[in-house]
């Protein structure tokens, strides 16, 4: 190698001074003296002695700077092989001496934990010394090791520890067995040295990491997991043999907690997941169905006794294995269905049925919200189960109407506003489960009409609040007629106030007239409810013959109304309404009798006749046959015997004669005559028990609407007719928007639109499609008979 050196000089010439050109002289550069092998061995001798001192823990006098420089020079002068192989040899020799020492001191000990502790201590010592050795040989790790593709010094030390110590004869197998024995003893309740186990597991993980040999998995984790599976398979079967599900859950939770602590205390981080998988499979998944169905202690048993803590433990255990939660949810849903079917079969009446459903809802609400933490899937499964059993029979819609009727008549008395709102909220909760909401609407309209017309309701605000809730659930169309009924009652009240003022003006000149129900001139204090035909439920019932006094009052009101409202026609409904009449009995006893319009017509006949035959009453009143029998029987009951009939027994014979009972007595001045139920007027069996109830529990739907518990009754005819129109309107609406639509798509869309009111069957929708095709609203595609096209 040569280096250019500049040389300076001067020159002169004409024209003045000028710069002298530079010249360069080359000289040979001296090279650094090369290290011979003897010098290299000398430096290695210094390093090897230092390494031995480090292994002996006698490194206080060592100069790590000088040692680093010696290692640096060896690598720099191409003696890396000498250095690397020498270090490997020193480490190997040291580890062999360690193994021999451990064998001499602890190799014959009966307790394998003594040997395990000695090995872990040797590992800890080796770990620290290798860090010091690595720091001295840092330059070799940065340059020589990557080029020669050899292990770094620290990893080399771990690799040699595995081959020289852990895999030494008689060490690995014995220590693996000792570690497994420790786990087994700890599961049996004994105390083990957890810090030694933790150090051993950490050592095995580290030894496997340096060369990817998975020492921990091969020598401990795999046999540990296999033994764990066998242990808990056996223990789970033993727990199940005890026959008590709650005890099993408690023991399983205890074991799971113990294993979680074990994993946190000394097992390797990667062991936790497979351990949990084994525990979940052997303790939970395998026995899930048997646990849930366990007789006398399973989920059904706990639900019946509302054992929230037990159910919470079930849910907490099953929540570890999400798919087993379906078993738990199915068990709860099955219990709901079975309990609901029992309510149907019991046949205790509409009110008892709804109360039973509400009690079930409260009970299962506690189960889902408290025990299951309000889990959405469990709530959905329970709600589906309620829908299933409630809609097994369309009687449920009528039953709920009867319950609401009883609630609004008498059930709300003494309740606070908060209690009333809570009661309505429960009713709406049951209402949401009902599919045939149009059937509910039909029955509710009848019961509301009876309450409004008879004035038998606790609060007008409560009535309106209930309708408002139904409106919020199903929309304006659902409650349009119900709101119209309230409006009619308000207008009727205003009309009657106006009519009374008009009458008072006309009677002002006659001082003898009074506003009593029946004044000296024989007048009638009439109250009329004017109802809009489209809003109120009505039946084609012929008019009966009213008493003359009532007819005069009716004609008077008709004249007044026709003067106020031109173009309207009043149609009187004598099948509804009630009257309060004053009757005089023997010894001048007087009672005010609260009766129906038909009963009033019957009793008015006895003002002129003491005794009348059935045929005479029929001809003079024109009351329909079934209603005539019902009202006559109501007047002849033992408790309210206003009339006496000639025949004995409960039912009326064709040749019966009726006589006014002057001997009737009552402690009450004002006596209400209740109507017997319609079924009690029909002679079905001469041997029928005489102890049947004499009055209805509420406004039941029309005859035949409530069938047996074995099958759902037919939909009421008016509702069936409304459904035809609704389905056809929905079909036309969909086809008008889509123009062309396949059969299945059309049925699906129509069902979706009508699901708010009812769920039509595909067969029913298909019939309406055929009807619309016949009437040329739709037509089939010529290329595809299952494709419909809208006809504009």
């Amino acid at each position: 190698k040569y280096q250019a050196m500049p040389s300076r000089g001067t020159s002169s010439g004409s024209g003045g001074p000028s710069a002298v050109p530079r010249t360069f002289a080359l000289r040979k550069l001296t090279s650094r003296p090369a290290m011979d092998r003897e010098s290299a061995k000398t430096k290695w001798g210094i390093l090897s002695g230092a390494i031995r001192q480090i292994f002996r823990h006698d490194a206080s006098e060592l100069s790590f700077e000088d040692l680093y420089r010696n290692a640096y020079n060896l690598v720099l002068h191409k003696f890396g092989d000498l250095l690397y192989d020498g270090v490997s040899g020193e480490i190997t020799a040291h580890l062999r001496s360690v193994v021999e020492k451990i064998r001499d001191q602890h190799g014959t000990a009966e307790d394998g934990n003594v040997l395990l502790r000695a090995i872990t201590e040797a590992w800890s010592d080796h770990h620290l010394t290798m860090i010091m050795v690595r720091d001295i040989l840092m330059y070799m790790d940065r340059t020589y090791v990557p080029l020669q593709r050899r292990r770094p010094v620290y990893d080399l030390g771990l690799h040699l520890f595995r081959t020289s110590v852990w895999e030494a004869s008689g060490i690995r197998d014995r220590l693996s067995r000792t570690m497994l024995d420790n786990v087994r003893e700890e599961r049996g309740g004994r105390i083990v040295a957890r810090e030694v186990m933790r150090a051993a597991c950490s050592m095995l993980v580290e030894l496997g990491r340096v060369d990817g040999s998975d020492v921990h998995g091969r020598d401990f984790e795999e046999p540990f997991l296999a033994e764990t599976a066998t242990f808990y398979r056996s223990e789970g079967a033993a727990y199940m043999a005890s026959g008590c599900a709650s005890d099993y859950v408690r023991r399983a939770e205890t074991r799971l907690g113990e294993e979680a602590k074990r994993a946190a205390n000394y097992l390797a981080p990667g062991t936790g997941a497979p351990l949990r998988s084994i525990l979940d499979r052997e303790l939970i998944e395998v026995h899930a169905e048997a646990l849930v169905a366990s007789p006398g202690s399973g989920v059904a048993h706990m639900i019946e006794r509302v054992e929230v803590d037990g159910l919470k433990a079930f849910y907490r255990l099953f929540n570890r294995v999400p798919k087993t939660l379906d078993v738990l949810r199915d068990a709860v849903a099955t219990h709901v269905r079975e309990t609901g079917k029992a309510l149907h079969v019991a046949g205790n009446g509409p009110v008892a049925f709804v109360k039973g459903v509400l009690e079930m809802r409260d009970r299962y609400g506690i189960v889902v919200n408290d025990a299951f933490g309000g889990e959405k899937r469990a709530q959905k499964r329970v709600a589906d189960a309620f829908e299933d059993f409630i809609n097994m029979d369309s009687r449920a819609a009528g039953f709920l109407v009867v319950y609401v009727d009883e609630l609004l008549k008498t059930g709300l008395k003494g309740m606070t506003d908060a209690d009333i709102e809570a009661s309505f909220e429960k009713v709406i909760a049951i209402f949401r489960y009902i599919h045939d909401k149009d059937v509910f609407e039909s029955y509710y309209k009848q019961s509301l009409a009876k309450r409004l017309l008879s004035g038998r309701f606790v609060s007008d605000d409560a009535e309106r609040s209930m309708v408002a809730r139904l409106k919020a659930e199903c929309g304006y169309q659902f409650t349009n007629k119900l709101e119209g009924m309230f409006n009619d009652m308000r207008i009727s009240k205003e009309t009657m106030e106006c009519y009374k003022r008009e009458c008072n003006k006309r009677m002002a000149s006659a001082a003898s007239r009074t506003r009593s129900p029946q004044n000296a001139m024989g007048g009638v204090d009439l109250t009329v409810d004017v109802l809009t035909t489209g809003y109120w439920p009505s039946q084609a019932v012929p008019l009966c013959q009213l008493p003359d006094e009532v007819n005069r009052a009716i004609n008077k009101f008709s004249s007044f109304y026709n003067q106020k409202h031109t173009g309207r026609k009043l149609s009187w409904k004598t099948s509804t309404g009630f009257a309060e009449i004053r009757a005089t009995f023997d010894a001048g006893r007087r009672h005010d009798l609260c009766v129906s319009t038909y009963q009033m017509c019957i009793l008015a006949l006895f003002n002129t006749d003491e005794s009348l035959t059935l045929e005479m009453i029929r001809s003079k009143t024109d009351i329909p046959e079934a209603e005539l029998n019902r009202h006559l029987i109501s007047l002849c009951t033992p408790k309210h015997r206003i009339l006496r009939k000639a025949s004995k027994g409960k039912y009326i014979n064709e040749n019966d004669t009726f006589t006014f009972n002057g001997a009737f007595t009552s402690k009450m001045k004002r006596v209400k005559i209740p109507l017997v139920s319609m079924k009690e007027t029909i002679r079905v069996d001469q041997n029928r028990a005489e102890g049947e109830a004499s009055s209805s529990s509420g406004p039941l739907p029309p005859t035949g609407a409530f069938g047996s518990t074995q099958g759902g009754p037919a939909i009421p005819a008016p509702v069936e007719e409304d459904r035809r129109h609704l389905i056809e309107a929905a079909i036309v609406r969909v086809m008008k928007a889509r123009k062309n639509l396949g059969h299945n798509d059309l049925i699906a869309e129509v069902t979706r639109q009508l699901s708010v009111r009812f769920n039509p069957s595909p067969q029913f929708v298909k019939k309406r499609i055929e009807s619309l095709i016949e009437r040329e609203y739709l037509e089939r595609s010529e290329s595809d008979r299952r494709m419909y096209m809208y006809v504009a």
Side-chain angles (χ1 to χ4, degrees):
K1 296 181 181 178
Y2 296 88
Q3 184 178 9
M5 301 295 293
S7 175
R8 295 187 180 184
T10 60
S11 64
S12 62
S14 62
S18 61
V20 179
R22 291 186 177 187
T23 61
F24 294 89
L26 298 177
R27 68 181 182 182
K28 188 174 181 180
L29 198 65
T30 59
S31 62
R32 184 177 298 172
M35 180 185 293
D36 57 15
R37 191 162 189 82
E38 290 301 323
S39 299
K41 288 182 179 181
T42 301
K43 290 184 180 296
W44 163 241
I46 296 171
L47 286 171
S48 63
I51 292 173
R52 285 193 291 273
Q53 281 184 262
I54 291 173
F55 286 150
R56 293 195 303 269
H57 303 285
D58 185 20
S60 59
E61 297 181 357
L62 295 177
S63 172
F64 281 84
E65 182 179 353
D66 293 341
L67 296 174
Y68 179 87
R69 186 179 297 110
N70 288 333
Y72 169 84
N73 287 328
L74 286 174
V75 175
L76 186 65
H77 291 90
K78 309 302 181 183
F79 289 103
D81 292 339
L82 173 65
L83 178 60
Y84 190 90
D85 294 338
V87 170
S88 177
E90 286 294 334
I91 297 174
T92 302
H94 167 70
L95 291 176
R96 286 175 179 172
S97 65
V98 169
V99 171
E100 293 302 324
K101 182 179 179 180
I102 291 175
R103 281 175 174 166
D104 293 341
Q105 294 178 352
H106 310 294
T108 58
E110 294 183 1
D111 187 359
N113 285 297
V114 175
L115 180 60
L116 181 63
R117 183 180 293 273
I119 292 296
T120 56
E121 290 175 353
W123 159 255
S124 179
D125 179 74
H126 183 68
H127 173 72
L128 292 175
T129 56
M130 285 307 303
I131 292 176
M132 299 174 68
V133 173
R134 178 192 64 187
D135 293 342
I136 295 173
L137 305 174
M138 192 178 300
Y139 184 75
M140 183 176 69
D141 276 347
R142 286 203 306 263
T143 58
Y144 173 79
V145 168
L147 290 174
Q148 301 299 321
R149 296 182 179 179
R150 307 186 80 169
R151 288 188 178 91
V153 173
Y154 179 79
D155 290 353
L156 174 65
L158 270 58
H159 170 75
L160 293 175
F161 188 92
R162 176 175 69 83
T163 58
S164 301
V165 179
W166 177 254
E167 295 180 354
S169 176
I171 299 293
R172 179 176 61 184
D173 295 341
R174 185 177 181 189
L175 293 188
S176 294
R177 288 195 304 270
T178 299
M179 294 175 69
L180 294 174
D181 290 342
N182 285 342
V183 174
R184 194 180 305 114
E185 289 181 3
E186 190 176 39
R187 285 172 177 161
R190 298 181 183 87
I191 298 175
V192 299
R194 291 180 174 176
E195 71 281 359
V196 176
M197 290 290 292
R198 180 168 54 251
C201 290
S202 176
M203 175 187 70
L204 295 180
V205 172
E206 192 70 10
L207 293 178
R209 179 190 62 79
V210 296
D211 52 10
S213 57
D214 192 17
V215 177
H216 176 265
R218 180 195 65 197
D219 296 339
F220 174 71
E221 185 178 84
E222 291 178 5
F224 164 75
L225 294 176
E227 187 169 308
T228 298
T230 302
F231 177 81
Y232 283 111
R233 187 178 302 118
S234 175
E235 187 164 275
Y239 286 168
M240 286 300 298
S242 67
C244 182
S246 57
D247 288 346
Y248 181 97
V249 172
R250 185 173 59 255
R251 293 173 181 175
E253 285 193 319
T254 301
R255 281 301 195 185
L256 291 170
E258 291 174 356
E259 293 296 334
K261 290 181 180 178
R262 184 172 297 112
N265 286 331
Y266 57 78
L267 294 181
T271 308
L275 174 62
R276 173 171 177 147
S277 178
I278 289 172
L279 295 172
D280 291 346
R281 182 180 69 251
E282 299 299 338
L283 289 179
I284 303 173
E285 188 175 349
V286 171
H287 303 293
E289 294 184 1
L291 278 173
V292 168
S294 181
S297 62
V299 171
H301 175 83
M302 292 182 180
I303 291 175
E304 290 170 1
R305 289 160 179 76
V306 197
E307 297 179 5
V308 176
D309 291 339
L311 291 167
K312 189 180 294 185
F314 253 106
Y315 182 80
R316 190 167 55 243
L317 183 67
F318 281 35
N319 196 37
R320 292 173 59 94
V321 186
K323 63 181 178 181
T324 61
L325 285 176
D326 284 334
V327 178
L328 192 58
R329 298 184 196 110
D330 289 342
V332 176
T334 300
H335 193 270
V336 171
R337 293 186 182 92
E338 291 176 352
T339 307
K341 289 178 182 178
L343 277 179
H344 275 296
V345 174
N348 294 326
V351 176
F353 174 81
V354 177
K355 285 183 177 179
V357 174
L358 291 174
E359 290 174 0
M360 287 176 58
R361 184 173 176 273
D362 291 340
R363 186 195 316 160
Y364 293 104
I366 293 173
V367 171
V368 174
N369 296 324
D370 295 350
F372 294 177
E375 188 200 49
K376 297 299 182 184
R377 290 186 179 180
Q379 291 177 344
K380 180 65 167 60
R381 197 71 62 86
V382 169
D384 291 343
F386 269 90
E387 284 189 25
D388 289 344
F389 87 79
I390 286 177
N391 293 286
M392 287 171 54
D393 196 329
S394 58
R395 296 185 309 166
F399 282 0
L400 185 59
V401 170
V402 174
Y403 175 81
V404 175
D405 184 74
E406 290 290 324
L407 193 66
L408 292 170
K409 279 183 178 178
T410 57
L412 300 180
K413 290 181 180 178
M415 285 189 180
T416 63
D417 291 343
D419 292 337
I420 292 174
E421 292 300 315
S423 298
F424 287 163
E425 192 61 41
K426 290 181 178 180
V427 169
I428 293 300
I430 304 301
F431 174 74
R432 292 190 185 107
Y433 296 138
I434 295 175
H435 291 166
D436 296 327
K437 291 181 171 59
D438 54 346
V439 176
F440 176 91
E441 179 194 9
S442 175
Y443 292 159
Y444 190 84
K445 186 165 63 172
Q446 296 176 41
S447 68
L448 176 62
K450 291 185 178 181
R451 289 195 302 275
L452 293 179
L453 294 177
S454 64
R456 293 185 59 197
F457 51 87
V458 175
S459 167
D460 183 70
D461 290 339
E463 290 282 359
R464 292 180 181 275
S465 176
M466 185 65 203
V467 172
R469 288 176 178 273
L470 293 174
K471 182 178 181 180
E473 285 295 318
C474 299
Y476 171 76
Q477 293 295 330
F478 189 84
T479 58
N480 183 30
K481 294 181 179 179
L482 303 180
E483 291 176 333
M485 294 163 69
F486 284 110
N487 191 48
D488 282 351
M489 296 302 295
R490 178 183 60 80
I491 295 175
S492 295
K493 182 179 179 181
E494 295 172 355
T495 301
M496 287 308 301
E497 290 175 354
C498 183
Y499 174 66
K500 292 292 178 69
R501 287 196 298 268
E502 183 71 20
C503 290
N504 289 337
K505 290 180 182 178
R506 293 183 181 182
M507 290 189 298
S509 60
S512 60
R513 292 188 179 184
T514 65
R515 296 186 62 191
S516 60
Q518 184 175 358
N519 57 26
M521 296 181 64
V524 174
D525 188 1
L526 181 69
T527 300
V528 179
D529 293 319
V530 183
L531 314 178
T532 303
T533 303
Y535 293 154
W536 297 76
S538 61
Q539 297 177 352
V541 180
L543 293 175
C544 70
Q545 296 186 30
L546 296 170
D548 293 338
E549 297 88 345
V550 178
N551 278 323
R552 287 195 294 271
I554 285 177
N555 293 333
K556 185 177 179 181
F557 177 83
S558 297
S559 299
F560 165 80
Y561 189 83
N562 291 331
Q563 289 176 1
K564 294 288 184 180
H565 304 281
T566 58
R568 296 187 183 180
K569 179 182 179 182
L570 289 177
S571 299
W572 296 91
K573 298 293 182 181
T574 55
S575 58
T576 60
F578 60 95
E580 188 171 318
I581 60 177
R582 178 163 296 172
T584 304
F585 298 91
D586 294 348
R589 294 189 311 278
R590 291 185 177 182
H591 292 282
D592 293 338
L593 305 181
C594 298
V595 295
S596 67
T597 302
Y598 285 158
Q599 287 174 328
M600 175 195 70
C601 296
I602 294 170
L603 292 176
L605 298 178
F606 290 90
N607 284 331
T608 56
D609 296 289
E610 284 290 330
S611 179
L612 293 168
T613 64
L614 176 62
E615 179 58 34
M616 294 171 65
I617 296 174
R618 184 186 295 125
S619 62
K620 290 184 178 183
T621 60
D622 290 335
I623 298 174
E625 187 68 25
E627 292 292 342
L628 179 62
N629 289 341
R630 182 187 181 194
H631 286 73
L632 282 172
I633 290 175
S634 299
L635 292 170
C636 297
T637 58
K639 187 176 180 180
H640 303 97
R641 186 165 290 161
I642 309 299
L643 301 179
R644 295 182 183 275
K645 65 185 182 74
S647 65
K648 301 293 182 181
K650 185 175 182 179
Y651 301 102
I652 295 176
N653 298 323
E654 185 62 29
N655 57 355
D656 262 339
T657 301
F658 297 89
T659 307
F660 179 72
N661 180 22
F664 172 80
T665 60
S666 175
K667 295 179 181 180
M668 308 296 293
K669 174 68 175 176
R670 189 168 180 268
V671 181
K672 178 176 175 57
I673 311 298
L675 287 174
V676 299
S677 61
M678 184 63 75
K679 66 180 181 180
E680 295 182 58
T681 67
I682 303 173
R683 188 189 302 270
V684 178
D685 187 354
Q686 294 294 339
N687 297 322
R688 178 180 295 186
E690 293 291 336
E692 293 187 34
S694 61
S695 63
S696 171
S697 62
L700 291 178
T703 303
F706 290 150
S708 67
T709 60
Q710 301 302 318
I715 301 298
V719 177
E720 189 79 16
E721 185 63 26
D722 288 342
R723 286 188 174 185
R724 293 191 185 95
H725 298 316
L726 288 171
I727 292 174
E728 290 181 356
I731 293 171
V732 172
R733 188 165 55 247
V734 171
M735 292 302 301
K736 189 174 182 179
R738 301 287 186 88
K739 305 302 181 184
N740 300 286
L741 203 60
H743 177 79
N744 292 337
D745 293 337
L746 178 57
I747 289 181
E749 181 61 22
V750 169
T751 302
R752 186 190 66 79
Q753 291 190 11
L754 296 176
S755 60
V756 177
R757 294 182 61 86
F758 65 97
N759 289 331
S761 65
Q763 296 81 4
F764 195 11
V765 178
K766 184 178 180 181
K767 288 182 180 179
R768 303 330 307 158
I769 293 174
E770 296 293 342
S771 176
L772 290 172
I773 291 174
E774 292 176 0
R775 288 178 282 163
E776 298 182 352
Y777 284 92
L778 307 177
E779 64 181 8
R780 296 183 187 274
S781 171
E782 295 182 358
S783 58
D784 185 357
R785 303 298 292 171
R786 293 180 62 81
M787 179 68 69
Y788 303 114
M789 296 184 296
Y790 177 69
V791 179

